[in-house]
Each structure stands twice: as C-alpha cells, then as structure tokens.
Amino acid sequence: MTQAPVRAADDEAVVERAIELLRAADLGLPGLDDNGRRLAALLRSVAGGPAPAGSPDTAPAPQVTDATGVTDGLPCVVWEWARAMGVTEAAFRADRRAFLRGDLAGVELCPRALVRAAVPRLRGLAALPGDHRLSLVWTRDRPSVTFPVRIPDRSAVALPDRPAPLCAQYVHHELGHAMELAWRSPGLPLAERWRRPPVIAEWGALVVETLGLSVAWLVSLGVPADTAERVAAHCRYEDRYTRALAALILRCAARPERLEEEVARTAGDLIDPRHVREEMQRAGYWSAVFEGHALADRTVAAFTERWGERWWDEAGSWRELREQLTAGPAGPSSNGPAR
C-alpha cells in the first residue's frame, strides 16, 4: 500500500498544534482534556522537559498592593490607542486580538525580516552568544514561545509569521528568552534548563522587549524611519495595556468574589469579565510579568543613566545584564517554555 506524501502545510499544522498543546498545558488554559494533557507531556519529554510540578490553577493568588494606579488607567490606554490608530474604541471590542496586533494601524512589519536583522546585531553586541543556535519555527498565527531542546547550545523559538506592528514586541521578547537560555551554564542537565525562576526569565525578556519600543533601535536594523516610529508607538501602547491588564488580573485573583465589580469599575465594558476569569487561572504567570516589568524598568533606567538612550549599543550593558540576571532575585521554580 502506497502511503500518501505528507504536504508541507500538514507539517506546519502539526507543529502549530504541538506548540498550542505545550502552551495550554503549561499555562493551565481551560478546554484541555486529559488526552491533550497526556500528549503535551509526551511532547515535552521528547524536547527534554520534565513533567509539570503542579497544576497552575492550584497556586495561591499573588497579592498585589501597588497596582491600583496602573489598573485604573486601562480605559484611557485603549481610548488613546484607538485615536492614534484613527479608529474608535469599538474596534477594540469587535476584535481585541486584531486591535492588539496592529492590524488596524495601517503599517506592517515583517517578523522574518526583523529576526534576520536583529539576531546578527545582538550577536555582534555579545548579547546573544555566537555559538548558541536558534531553531526557528514559523506558525500561522499562534502565540510566540521559546524553549530549550535536547541538542546542546540550541533553543527553539516559535513565532507567528503574520506581518504586524506587534511583532517588534514579541520577536524581541522571545529573543530575550533565548538570550537568557543561552547564558545559562552549559553543564546543566536539560531538564534543569526548563526550570528557572519565572520572574528572572520575564525580567530579561522584558529588557530586550524594550528594543521594539525604540525608534532608534528599529532604524538601526534597517526599518524605515516612518515605519519605525509608527511601530514603536503601537508597541508602547501595547506595553501600557499589558501592564494594566496584568494589574487587573492580579487584583481580581486576590479577591475573585468581586471580579465582575472590579472589572466593571476599572474597565467598563472594554474587557469581558470572562477573559479576566480565564487569565486568573495563570495568575502566577501574570505576577511574574508584573514584577518582571518593574525590574526591567529599573534596569533600563540605570543603563540609560550610565550609557544614554542608546545603551543597547554598548556591549558593557549586556555584560551587566547577564551579571544581574545571574545574581538576580530568586523566584519560584517554573517548568515549561518561556512566553
């Protein structure tokens, strides 16, 4: 019996589904049945990762005491962002994902071209070691993710290939995760490379992510100045939105019985309470993001004071970041790929 050849499109669909399963299992997303969890565990074992330490939804809700000001600015962020894009906030309600990606922004940025430009630049600055290879997986429109693999000195990075302004944010974020993985001791067992304090992982990735918010950095990669300005502006709005959303999720996680009231008070009808309730199931991740932003802000501010606005052009800043991450604040162990 002749077996039908497997088409490239079929291969891509399998890869996308595998990545989706890994993320769903590691983040405790709803809708994953027992068979899906078993398949995710098998996929992780093939990549060399250990079994999850515990169910994400059983982790205690983190306490957030300094997020009120950030959260209360959520509607203003969306309104200002919509005006900057030349649309009304109704566009956000109609398709939040398209709005966040920048599909309505009137400008495109190719993620493949951005990776081709950014990786050699980061290697030249010794931010990304030259001997650490990246296995790139391009997906249709799945969330980005980075994880170690069995091959020594190599990380896998999955990125959506849809041209969009937001790729300046998530491409740099994932390159930051790859950088942090590359800086880890090469003598560590592979399973240990999957286990790292989530706050430190997000801290490093969020420092690199700020490059996507910098017009000067994007122009230095060959992005036309007018495109760079619009892309960076879009990503700055997205950055403000993510910080406010993280604060809202953590506040609701601390007092889940008041979720609907809190969402309505701070976001009106812009945010669906069901979305916040789903995200509360991975409150530990959002806590790492919230704290990682605070650490990244202090790091970038210190680098800017020492080296100026183009701190990223100084190899010394990357050496110092490596030292800071190595000796940084301890966080709870986390299994799974970096987001």
Side-chain angles (χ1 to χ4, degrees), residues 128-140:
L128 186 64
D131 58 354
H132 190 86
R133 315 313 298 173
L134 302 180
S135 293
L136 293 171
V137 180
W138 295 101
T139 68
R140 291 181 179 86

Side-chain angles (χ1 to χ4, degrees), residues 74-75 79 93 260 262-273:
L74 184 57
W79 296 334
R93 297 187 188 91
E260 282 76 13
E262 188 67 22
V263 172
R265 186 185 70 80
T266 60
D269 62 350
L270 286 173
I271 304 294
D272 188 339

Side-chain angles (χ1 to χ4, degrees), residues 64-297:
V64 178
T65 59
D66 58 349
T68 301
V70 177
T71 304
D72 289 346
L74 184 57
C76 292
V77 173
V78 175
W79 296 334
E80 293 174 11
W81 197 355
R83 285 196 295 270
M85 294 170 65
V87 299
T88 67
E89 61 268 21
F92 177 89
R93 297 187 188 91
D95 192 337
R96 181 172 54 87
R97 288 190 63 194
F99 186 97
L100 298 177
R101 273 195 311 261
D103 291 353
L104 310 177
V107 62
E108 288 187 348
L109 185 63
C110 176
R112 293 174 183 262
L114 189 60
V115 169
R116 286 196 298 267
V119 169
R121 185 70 185 284
L122 290 171
R123 291 199 192 282
L125 292 166
L128 186 64
D131 58 354
H132 190 86
R133 315 313 298 173
L134 302 180
S135 293
L136 293 171
V137 180
W138 295 101
T139 68
R140 291 181 179 86
D141 198 20
R142 301 297 184 191
S144 56
V145 61
T146 298
F147 51 88
V149 294
R150 290 188 182 277
I151 303 173
D153 294 320
R154 187 180 291 265
S155 298
V157 181
L159 293 165
D161 61 1
R162 174 201 290 263
L166 192 59
C167 78
Q169 180 257 44
Y170 59 72
V171 163
H172 285 99
H173 188 95
E174 298 308 327
L175 291 179
H177 279 309
M179 179 189 73
E180 191 268 340
L181 277 172
W183 284 352
R184 293 171 67 80
S185 171
L188 283 176
L190 180 58
E192 289 302 313
R193 290 171 56 207
W194 280 67
R195 294 189 179 97
R196 56 220 169 121
V199 170
I200 291 183
E202 292 305 318
W203 173 14
L206 288 166
V207 169
V208 182
E209 182 182 310
T210 63
L211 301 182
L213 283 61
S214 167
V215 175
W217 168 265
L218 293 175
V219 169
S220 76
L221 297 182
V223 178
D226 57 342
T227 299
E229 289 176 1
R230 296 173 69 182
V231 165
H234 181 87
C235 290
R236 285 193 291 270
Y237 278 115
E238 196 281 339
D239 178 77
R240 291 172 57 195
Y241 171 82
T242 297
R243 291 168 186 252
L245 180 64
L248 175 60
I249 292 167
L250 295 178
R251 286 176 61 181
C252 290
R255 303 188 66 179
E257 72 282 358
R258 299 186 59 181
L259 182 147
E260 282 76 13
E261 175 186 340
E262 188 67 22
V263 172
R265 186 185 70 80
T266 60
D269 62 350
L270 286 173
I271 304 294
D272 188 339
R274 291 174 298 180
H275 173 61
V276 176
R277 191 173 297 283
E278 284 186 359
E279 293 299 330
M280 280 168 49
Q281 297 185 46
R282 54 177 190 146
Y285 163 73
W286 285 107
S287 180
V289 169
F290 190 82
E291 187 176 347
H293 269 296
L295 291 168
D297 287 346

Side-chain angles (χ1 to χ4, degrees), residues 39 43 56 111 188 204 304:
L39 180 55
L43 290 169
L188 283 176
T304 301

Side-chain angles (χ1 to χ4, degrees), residues 16-85:
E16 287 191 24
R17 179 58 178 156
I19 293 168
E20 185 179 15
L21 277 170
L22 276 171
R23 286 181 57 87
D26 288 324
L27 297 182
L29 299 182
L32 190 66
D33 59 18
D34 289 341
N35 287 335
R37 279 186 284 271
R38 283 194 290 269
L39 180 55
L42 176 61
L43 290 169
R44 195 209 313 261
S45 69
V46 171
S55 176
D57 57 5
T58 61
Q63 301 298 311
V64 178
T65 59
D66 58 349
T68 301
V70 177
T71 304
D72 289 346
L74 184 57
C76 292
V77 173
V78 175
W79 296 334
E80 293 174 11
W81 197 355
R83 285 196 295 270
M85 294 170 65

